[in-house]
């Protein structure tokens, strides 16, 4: 049995090293995607969205407010328009994300303690840009209004501290946990990189196991393994398990030590969990090979299944807001269990003993499905391949 195992294993290593298609798919593509995601999001937070200003007052005070808005990291006032229609046109043509209107008599109303209103129209089709602009606008106008109010009170004889207390009697404190810099690179790369890799693991596993059947060499593999389907499976997939484990180590090193995502768990355990995730994907790939009529169907279904996994994780849209059916469906994807474990353990720092063991149970169920597929794969090997 050992001789058969090593013979198949070495043949697969040789195939990997001499096949440009496999080298590209299993090595070059994932590493290239990692570098692409890392460079794409290296700024962390998008800055200086183009904004237009309609200053109907044109006073020193309105210009000061304009300068304060332009000084924020989220807004770049690229033009001043003469009327609201021109500003709305620039938003509709995507030349600006927002229009800010400072009304006439702005300065006089402030000094006469008359309510005045500064308006911001922003394009919320782009949720991220809209959210950042709105946050900067609220913060800047709030600070400006507080400064004007304090100035008015001190002119009436109050001390600076009395004026400050009268303007803001309640102070608030915010503590942003786990991603204190609201860094979108931290937020997205930790999900996008393993997501891309799990698609590749699934497709490569299906291709490696299914191409034997497609080329009608199943009987040859069956004889080499002496009729032991476990030897056939592990000897064929082990080279890729080792390879993807190394690539996973590279990915995690990139995430936690190059990009700088805060790591509150143990780096070794994070990598061990990734290796388990790779094996789960390979076993689930066996399921698609064994229960499809040809390699093309197996690749199509397996690739599609892994490609939609991210949509069901509830990562970008909280799962509590998803329909109950979708919440249950999310557990039918190994990627959901992987990502939630990584977020809880590596990012949030939850101790192993306090973690939700549903992640591990889900992995065990996927493994059992893979094991249950072994007889089907063995039957196909005996036949020699698909359509035999």
């Amino acid at each position: 049995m050992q001789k058969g195992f090593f013979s198949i294993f070495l043949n697969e290593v040789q195939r990997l090293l001499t096949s440009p298609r496999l080298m590209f798919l299993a090595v070059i593509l994932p590493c290239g995607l990692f570098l692409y995601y890392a460079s794409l999001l290296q700024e962390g937070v998008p800055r200086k969205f183009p904004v237009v200003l309609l200053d109907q007052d044109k006073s020193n005070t309105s210009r000061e407010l304009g300068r304060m808005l332009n000084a924020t990291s989220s807004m770049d006032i690229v033009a001043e328009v003469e009327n609201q229609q021109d500003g709305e046109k620039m938003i509709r043509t995507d030349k600006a994300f927002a229009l800010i209107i400072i009304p006439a008599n702005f300065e006089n109303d402030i000094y006469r303690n008359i309510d005045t209103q500064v308006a911001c129209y922003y394009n919320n089709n782009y949720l991220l840009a809209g959210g950042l602009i709105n946050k900067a606008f609220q913060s800047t106008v709030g600070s400006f209004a507080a400064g004007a109010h304090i100035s008015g009170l001190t002119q009436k004889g109050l001390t600076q501290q009395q004026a400050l207390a009268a303007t803001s009697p309640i102070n608030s404190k915010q503590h942003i946990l786990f991603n204190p810099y609201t860094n979108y690179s931290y937020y997205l790369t930790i999900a996008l990189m393993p997501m891309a890799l799990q698609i590749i693991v699934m497709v490569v596993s299906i291709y490696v196991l299914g191409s034997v059947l497609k080329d009608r060499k199943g009987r040859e593999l069956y004889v080499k393994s002496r009729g032991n389907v476990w030897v056939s499976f592990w000897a064929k997939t082990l080279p890729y398990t080792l390879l993807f484990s190394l690539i996973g180590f590279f990915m995690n090193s990139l995430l936690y030590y190059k990009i700088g995502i805060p790591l509150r768990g143990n780096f070794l355990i994070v990598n061990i969990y990734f290796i388990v995730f790779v094996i789960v994907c390979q076993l689930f790939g066996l399921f698609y090979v064994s229960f499809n009529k040809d390699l093309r169907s197996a690749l199509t279904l397996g690739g599609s299944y892994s490609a939609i996994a991210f949509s069901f994780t509830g990562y970008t849209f909280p799962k509590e807001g998803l329909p109950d059916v979708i919440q249950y469906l999310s557990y039918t994807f190994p990627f959901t269990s992987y990502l939630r474990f990584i977020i809880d353990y590596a990012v949030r720092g939850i101790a192993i003993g306090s973690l939700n063991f549903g992640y591990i149970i889900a992995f065990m169920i996927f493994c059992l499905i893979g094991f249950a597929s072994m007889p089907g794969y063995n039957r196909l090997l005996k036949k020699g391949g698909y359509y035999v």
Side-chain angles (χ1 to χ4, degrees), residues 4-18 22-23 26-27 201 204-205 208-209 221 230-248 274-275 278-279 282:
F5 179 90
F6 285 113
S7 172
I8 299 168
F9 175 83
L10 292 175
N11 283 343
E12 198 58 43
V13 171
Q14 185 180 18
R15 181 189 182 198
L16 170 63
L17 295 176
T18 56
L22 277 174
M23 283 298 290
V27 180
V201 172
V204 168
S205 302
V208 166
L209 295 170
L221 179 60
W230 295 84
V231 170
S232 302
F233 173 78
W234 291 114
K236 291 285 286 182
T237 56
L238 186 58
Y240 302 93
T241 310
L242 299 173
L243 174 64
F244 288 129
S245 298
L246 284 174
I247 294 176
F274 182 80
I275 294 171
V278 169
I279 295 171
Q282 290 177 318

Side-chain angles (χ1 to χ4, degrees), residues 102-169:
I102 302 176
N105 298 319
F106 178 70
E107 185 177 69
N108 289 335
D109 288 345
I110 288 176
Y111 288 127
R112 292 162 60 190
N113 287 326
I114 298 174
D115 284 343
T116 186
Q117 192 174 56
V118 179
C120 177
Y121 299 87
Y122 59 93
N123 184 355
N124 211 28
N125 276 338
Y126 304 103
L127 282 176
L128 175 59
L132 290 173
I133 288 173
N134 181 45
K135 183 179 177 183
F137 173 77
Q138 296 288 348
S139 174
T140 304
V141 173
S143 299
F144 186 86
H149 191 233
I150 290 171
S151 176
L153 293 176
T154 53
Q155 289 176 3
K156 291 180 180 178
L158 271 66
T159 64
Q160 189 77 15
Q161 287 187 334
Q162 289 172 329
L164 183 62
T167 302
S168 180

Side-chain angles (χ1 to χ4, degrees), residues 187-188 310 313-318:
Y187 172 59
L188 289 175
F310 186 76
T313 57
Y315 188 62
T316 54
F317 188 88

Side-chain angles (χ1 to χ4, degrees), residues 36-232:
Y36 168 72
Y37 286 135
S39 60
L40 180 69
L41 299 167
Q42 63 179 337
E43 291 295 329
V45 180
R47 302 180 188 279
K48 291 297 181 185
F49 295 103
V51 172
V52 290
L53 176 67
L54 173 56
D55 185 354
Q56 297 173 325
D57 192 48
K58 298 190 184 303
S59 62
N60 290 333
T61 305
S62 66
R63 292 192 187 93
E64 183 183 349
L65 176 58
R67 285 193 293 271
M68 287 178 66
L69 290 167
N70 194 41
T72 63
S73 61
S74 300
M75 287 192 273
D76 180 19
I77 297 179
V78 293
E80 287 200 32
V81 292
E82 296 300 321
N83 54 62
Q84 185 169 342
Q85 288 73 26
D86 288 347
E88 291 174 352
K89 184 179 178 182
M90 291 190 71
I91 294 177
R92 280 196 294 271
T93 55
D94 284 339
K95 293 180 179 174
F97 283 88
L99 164 65
I100 294 171
I101 300 177
I102 302 176
N105 298 319
F106 178 70
E107 185 177 69
N108 289 335
D109 288 345
I110 288 176
Y111 288 127
R112 292 162 60 190
N113 287 326
I114 298 174
D115 284 343
T116 186
Q117 192 174 56
V118 179
C120 177
Y121 299 87
Y122 59 93
N123 184 355
N124 211 28
N125 276 338
Y126 304 103
L127 282 176
L128 175 59
L132 290 173
I133 288 173
N134 181 45
K135 183 179 177 183
F137 173 77
Q138 296 288 348
S139 174
T140 304
V141 173
S143 299
F144 186 86
H149 191 233
I150 290 171
S151 176
L153 293 176
T154 53
Q155 289 176 3
K156 291 180 180 178
L158 271 66
T159 64
Q160 189 77 15
Q161 287 187 334
Q162 289 172 329
L164 183 62
T167 302
S168 180
I170 300 175
N171 292 319
S172 63
K173 283 186 178 179
Q174 289 183 326
H175 300 277
I176 303 175
L177 304 176
F178 311 125
N179 187 358
Y181 311 112
T182 320
N183 188 311
Y184 284 86
S185 180
Y186 294 179
Y187 172 59
L188 289 175
T189 53
I190 199 171
L192 292 178
M193 287 187 185
M195 173 66 197
L197 187 52
Q198 65 106 21
I199 296 174
I200 293 169
V201 172
M202 180 71 79
V203 170
V204 168
S205 302
I206 292 173
Y207 176 76
V208 166
L209 295 170
S211 58
V212 179
L213 303 174
K214 173 180 171 291
D215 297 336
R216 300 184 178 182
K217 295 181 178 177
R219 187 72 190 173
E220 184 181 329
L221 179 60
Y222 182 80
V223 172
K224 275 188 178 178
S225 63
R226 299 185 180 180
N228 190 327
V229 68
W230 295 84
V231 170
S232 302

